[in-house]
């Protein structure tokens, strides 16, 4: 490490930590994701271990939303250019969008956000006051035309799988919905083992990137600011970081080098309901609360890799249990146990004796939460001696119990 200048020691430490837990290095090592120049930069593929983590996260957030009044929808990843002209993206966000594709006499755009589709799903039915709040959620693809130079690993990508949701509510319900969204975000962070670096109230900046309607901005800012104060949250206010249609509460995370990014967000929007002429009983205009509990899956998993150093909580681990027969004699019993683990819903695999000594196999699977050792006694009884990742012994634990311990909690 270069030394001799002030701060060199702390520089060396933080650099070392950065290299240790860089999600790009660990992500490849753990088989989470990879990229290929033939597909293109910023377009990673999820390898089996990564797809397993991603599915666990998706299932968790889907269930968290379902238990909290959300209905899930699915919508296409592209739409006509006119859709984005109507939503305001074309005027305020075009530089981040892929250029249109011409098909026949029409132009289609890969969507830069899910909001317009959800606004049209709201509009597809008559809505009355008693239907509100209507909470729609979707884990869907969106696209950003980032330049190759700024792309890296899972943190800056061109294809994002976003955990998105929109609450359509009456104006007097908006504050409660913002607060409820923050409840979900905080519960998810606790479950995922994530600590927010800070909360940011992101406001309008100068220029035509932002819709010019000062009264509208003031109203939505006031709601977000009040909710944050009521929850006793410390937050910073920053100009120029808002969405083009409204202010946001951004929950910032930091990587080991201290670089910040937005993970979760809650936004109050009066603009798009007007652009899409959304109504409920008596011609009233709903408010749209945009929220993402865990942000884009790519950025989230990059952060999880760095936070946990690959030792994911049991419910997230790509492999939750490894079955280790002491010798070839116990292999049939170990295979039977593996089948029971898989049938019970565990992500499990076998590490047979021909892969080395028991100690070597345990070391090779040191990130796996449960190591199930099958010796002659366990083989006779049909069970295993369970060793946890930290080296502690759990004894003869039934498979069903391991499965129970590998479920996330949905408590708010
Ligand atoms: Zn939105």
């Amino acid at each position: 490490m270069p030394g001799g200048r002030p701060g060199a020691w702390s520089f060396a430490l933080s650099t070392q930590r950065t290299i240790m837990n860089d999600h790009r290095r660990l992500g490849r090592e753990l088989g989470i994701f990879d990229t290929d120049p033939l597909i293109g930069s910023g377009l990673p593929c999820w390898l089996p271990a990564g797809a397993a983590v991603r599915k666990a996260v998706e299932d968790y957030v889907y269930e968290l939303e379902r238990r909290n009044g959300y209905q899930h929808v699915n919508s296409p990843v592209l739409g006509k250019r006119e859709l984005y002209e109507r939503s305001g993206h074309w005027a305020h966000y075009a530089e981040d969008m892929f250029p249109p594709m011409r098909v026949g006499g029409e132009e289609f755009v890969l969507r830069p956000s899910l909001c317009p589709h959800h606004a049209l799903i709201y509009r597809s039915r008559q809505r009355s006051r008693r239907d509100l709040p209507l909470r729609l959620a979707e884990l869907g693809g969106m696209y950003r035309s980032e330049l190759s130079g700024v792309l890296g690993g899972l943190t800056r990508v061109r294809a994002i799988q976003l955990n998105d949701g929109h609450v359509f509510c009456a104006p007097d319900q908006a504050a409660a919905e913002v607060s409820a969204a923050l409840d979900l975000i905080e519960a998810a962070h606790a479950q995922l083992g994530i600590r927010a670096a800070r909360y940011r109230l992101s406001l309008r900046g100068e220029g035509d990137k932002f819709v010019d309607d000062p009264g509208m901005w003031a109203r939505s800012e006031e709601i977000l600011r009040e909710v944050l104060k009521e929850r006793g949250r410390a937050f910073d206010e920053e100009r120029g970081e808002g969405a083009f249609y409204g202010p946001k509460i951004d929950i910032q995370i930091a990587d080991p080098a201290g670089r910040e990014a937005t993970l979760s967000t809650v936004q109050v929007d009066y603009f798009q309901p007007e652009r899409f002429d959304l109504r409920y009983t008596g011609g009233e205009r709903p408010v749209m609360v945009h929220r993402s509990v865990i942000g884009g899956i790519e950025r989230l998993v990059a952060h999880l890799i760095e936070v946990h150093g690959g030792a994911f909580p049991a419910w997230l681990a790509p492999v939750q249990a490894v079955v280790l027969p002491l010798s070839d004699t116990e292999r049939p019993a170990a295979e039977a146990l593996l089948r029971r683990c898989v049938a019970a819903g565990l992500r499990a695999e076998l590490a047979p004796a021909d892969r080395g000594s028991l100690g070597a196999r345990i070391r090779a699977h040191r990130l796996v939460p449960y190591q199930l050792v099958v010796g002659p006694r366990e083989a006779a009884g049909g069970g295993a001696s369970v060793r946890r990742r930290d080296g502690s012994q759990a004894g003869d634990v039934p498979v069903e119990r391991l499965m129970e311990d590998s479920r996330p909690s949905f408590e708010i």
Side-chain angles (χ1 to χ4, degrees):
M1 273 297 139
R5 56 185 175 79
W9 173 236
S10 66
F11 171 78
L13 271 181
S14 72
T15 307
Q16 197 179 16
R17 222 177 118 225
T18 307
I19 295 165
M20 288 273 295
N21 273 0
D22 181 345
H23 86 273
R24 284 166 296 191
R25 186 186 61 76
L26 259 178
R28 285 195 176 84
E29 220 172 273
L30 299 168
I32 304 285
F33 74 99
D34 223 324
T35 49
D36 191 304
L38 194 54
I39 299 171
S41 53
L43 299 167
C45 287
W46 295 80
L47 304 180
V53 174
R54 176 174 157 162
K55 178 76 165 55
V57 171
E58 290 178 2
D59 289 351
Y60 164 71
V61 77
Y62 182 97
E63 184 60 14
L64 183 69
E65 288 169 341
R66 191 189 68 80
R67 289 178 188 223
N68 287 281
Y70 283 85
Q71 302 176 66
H72 289 90
V73 295
N74 294 109
S75 55
V77 299
L78 70 175
K80 276 163 63 177
R81 172 182 163 155
E82 288 83 348
L83 176 63
Y84 304 99
E85 287 173 349
R86 177 73 77 88
S87 69
H89 285 86
W90 202 260
H92 300 280
Y93 199 75
E95 64 192 44
D96 292 308
M97 292 163 65
F98 278 93
M101 295 169 275
R102 190 174 288 280
V103 181
E106 295 176 314
E107 284 187 321
F108 291 90
V109 186
L110 279 172
R111 68 178 169 192
S113 86
L114 283 66
C115 329
H117 284 93
H118 289 191
L120 292 182
I121 290 173
Y122 176 92
R123 213 175 67 173
S124 68
R125 295 283 181 278
Q126 285 269 345
R127 308 290 182 182
S128 75
R129 163 93 200 196
R130 62 172 191 283
D131 298 328
L132 306 185
L134 178 75
R135 304 183 188 91
L136 300 180
E138 177 173 5
L139 192 88
M142 57 175 259
Y143 301 84
R144 206 165 275 171
S145 68
E146 306 261 21
L147 297 176
S148 300
V150 302
L151 299 168
L154 290 177
T155 44
R156 292 293 288 271
V157 290
R158 286 166 160 158
I160 299 163
Q161 201 67 19
L162 185 71
N163 157 248
D164 206 1
H166 296 94
V167 181
F168 299 86
C169 61
D172 62 3
Q173 297 171 323
E177 288 302 318
V178 168
S179 197
L182 288 170
D183 284 340
L184 289 195
I185 290 169
E186 286 165 10
H189 285 197
Q191 209 41 228
L192 292 158
I194 291 174
R195 237 187 40 226
R198 67 184 176 114
Y199 281 44
R200 181 176 80 184
L201 179 55
S202 300
L203 307 172
R204 176 191 186 184
E206 302 301 321
D208 57 7
K209 261 182 76 185
F210 302 94
V211 169
D212 187 18
D213 184 342
M216 178 193 88
W217 283 89
R219 266 184 296 158
S220 40
E221 277 176 30
E222 195 50 26
I223 293 174
L224 296 180
R225 196 177 285 117
E226 282 309 306
V227 170
L228 283 170
K229 282 186 186 160
E230 199 177 295
R231 295 173 71 89
R233 265 285 159 200
F235 62 96
D236 303 313
E237 300 201 8
E238 266 177 52
R239 301 240 149 246
E241 296 290 343
F244 72 81
Y245 47 77
K248 314 189 281 171
I249 294 172
D250 288 328
I251 292 137
Q252 302 294 101
I253 50 167
D255 75 3
R259 279 182 299 247
E260 259 194 28
T262 300
L263 188 70
S264 313
T265 182
V266 187
Q267 313 165 8
V268 170
D269 176 10
Y270 290 93
F271 178 72
Q272 294 198 40
E274 202 173 297
R275 293 299 289 238
F276 287 104
D277 194 23
L278 306 185
R279 307 264 179 191
Y280 60 93
T281 322
E284 298 284 328
R285 188 85 74 202
V287 178
M288 225 168 140
V289 175
H290 306 238
R291 44 98 284 179
S292 179
V293 178
I294 52 165
I297 291 282
E298 292 78 13
R299 179 173 287 172
L300 171 73
V301 172
H303 190 61
L304 289 173
I305 294 169
E306 288 173 348
V307 166
H308 298 294
F312 297 103
W315 70 272
L316 274 177
V319 178
Q320 297 167 307
V322 60
V323 184
L324 302 152
L326 211 49
S327 74
D328 275 344
T329 318
E330 290 84 26
R331 184 159 178 160
E335 282 173 352
L337 179 63
L338 175 71
R339 282 194 294 276
R340 275 175 44 218
C341 288
V342 172
L346 280 170
R347 296 185 289 276
E349 65 182 36
L350 183 75
D354 59 11
R355 294 208 201 143
S357 69
L358 182 64
R361 282 180 283 152
I362 285 175
R363 275 195 301 282
H365 293 87
R366 65 189 179 284
L367 298 176
V368 176
Y370 304 115
Q371 296 148 1
L372 281 50
V373 180
V374 182
R377 198 173 55 85
E378 289 81 16
S385 171
V386 178
R387 183 185 181 281
R388 293 197 196 88
R389 180 165 54 194
D390 63 6
S392 63
Q393 299 291 335
D396 190 355
V397 182
V399 168
E400 293 67 28
R401 175 67 197 285
L402 291 182
M403 188 60 216
E404 273 306 307
D405 292 349
S406 308
R407 278 191 231 277
S409 155
F410 296 99
E411 257 169 62
I412 297 291

